[in-house]
Amino acid sequence: MKRLPALLLLLCMSLPAAAQKQAACPYAAWKSGFKGDARAQATCLLRPVKLYARLGDSAPLPAFLAAHVGQRTGIAPVALRAWLAQQSISEADAGGAVDAPLSRAVGRLAAPMARYFVIHDTSYPNFLNETIPDHINDANWDFNDFSLRNPALGGGPKGHVYVNRLGDSLAVRDFGTAGYASKLEKDKPSLTGLFLHVELVQPRNSVPGGGKGNDGLAPDPGFTPAQYDRLALLYIAASVRKGTWLIPAFHAVLDTGFANGHDDPQNFSLEQWDAALSHLSAVMTGAHASN
């Protein structure tokens, strides 16, 4: 989630303002969100993020998201709670109590509840000109141990939940607590609380010739199957608390058009996450129906 290299920022700043603005999803102040129904918003907000935060074209959502975004979840909190207990996963690590309300937009008399589920990558650690180590997906890599590398430490905006490359999660902020982690929310503080933020641990290194200290290169594949599984669980948990499937979004798309925007998540497989969502939601729905 680190800022783009200075050289790239200068290039972006040289683009016509209309070109930068055109790339962003159309914002609708009157609805505290974006234009279109939930599926249309998700289609725009999940545009693939390429090197240096360039966005790919919108594409049809994969099957599970296309059928469910904005619809009723159909998963009862009791079913989710039972599944978490079976898996020895605490509700705290899934973003908080599964029957508690989500955060609400701050500074409103009639504040709407959270609508968006924002996917980030940490873009950290940055190995600069060194090769990313081969063992980043192993338990012996320090950044997979939250007791050694606690993302709650340090200043600046933080996500709600962090997911390491082993698929373990750490909630820094409950999904019921408003907190900003995008340029859009910083620019429009009244939107804080409408967005839930999940950070996926992903190291980076530098693009050769891309400017000193840049963190443009991410591993490929970008994330592990365990990360997609835990991200699916967090999305399900948040949506169960909402009662409807939240609108997913990529951090870089929210930051489009803002100076010092971000380029994450890199190398994210929407299809792989969608498959994890389909499988896990079916397991929970089936378990609930059999009880």
Side-chain angles (χ1 to χ4, degrees):
M1 64 176 289
K2 290 186 70 178
R3 295 177 179 178
L4 301 179
L7 177 60
L8 177 69
L9 291 175
L10 289 174
L11 291 173
C12 290
M13 289 170 64
S14 67
L15 293 174
Q20 296 184 54
K21 189 173 183 180
Q22 185 179 13
C25 298
Y27 178 74
W30 60 271
K31 64 183 296 185
S32 298
F34 299 89
K35 294 181 180 179
D37 61 17
R39 185 188 297 183
Q41 292 183 57
T43 299
C44 185
L45 292 167
L46 291 174
R47 293 170 64 185
V49 183
K50 301 182 178 182
L51 184 67
Y52 291 151
R54 298 186 184 96
L55 301 182
D57 294 333
S58 296
L61 296 175
F64 182 88
L65 288 172
H68 290 82
V69 167
Q71 305 300 311
R72 300 290 298 175
T73 57
I75 299 173
V78 64
L80 174 57
R81 176 167 282 146
W83 188 89
L84 289 171
Q86 291 170 2
Q87 303 299 317
S88 299
I89 300 172
S90 72
E91 292 183 38
D93 287 342
V98 298
D99 54 1
L102 297 178
S103 61
R104 292 184 179 273
V106 299
R108 307 286 188 85
L109 292 177
M113 189 178 288
R115 296 171 176 161
Y116 300 94
F117 183 89
V118 187
I119 301 168
H120 304 244
D121 76 55
T122 59
S123 306
Y124 183 81
N126 183 3
F127 289 95
L128 299 174
N129 295 322
E130 298 180 10
T131 302
I132 295 175
D134 293 334
H135 68 289
I136 60 171
N137 299 335
D138 299 339
N140 62 353
W141 190 51
D142 281 1
F143 291 87
N144 285 326
D145 187 340
F146 288 129
S147 67
L148 294 176
R149 303 287 184 175
N150 190 334
L153 303 177
K158 298 180 178 67
H160 285 83
V161 183
Y162 288 72
V163 180
N164 67 22
R165 301 186 70 80
L166 306 177
D168 301 322
S169 54
L170 174 69
V172 172
R173 182 185 291 115
D174 190 286
F175 282 152
T177 303
Y180 83 92
S182 71
K183 295 291 181 181
L184 176 65
E185 295 159 284
K186 187 174 182 181
D187 183 65
K188 298 176 172 61
S190 64
L191 297 183
T192 301
L194 291 179
F195 298 83
L196 307 179
H197 299 276
V198 176
E199 293 271 3
L200 303 174
V201 172
Q202 182 190 75
R204 299 286 188 92
N205 61 359
S206 295
V207 177
K212 183 177 180 180
N214 82 81
D215 63 352
L217 286 181
D220 189 6
F223 306 98
T224 66
Q227 282 182 300
Y228 288 117
D229 287 345
R230 183 53 60 96
L231 185 67
L233 172 60
L234 293 169
Y235 177 68
I236 289 171
S239 297
V240 166
R241 290 172 66 170
K242 169 82 171 183
T244 57
W245 294 100
L246 296 174
I247 299 170
F250 289 148
H251 182 197
V253 183
L254 291 184
D255 273 4
T256 300
F258 290 98
N260 299 324
H262 294 77
D263 68 344
D264 59 306
Q266 287 285 313
N267 298 331
F268 186 91
S269 172
L270 197 56
E271 291 73 19
Q272 196 166 345
W273 184 48
D274 192 79
L277 283 168
S278 180
H279 172 75
L280 187 54
S281 64
V283 168
M284 290 186 185
T285 302
H288 180 58
S290 64
N291 289 337

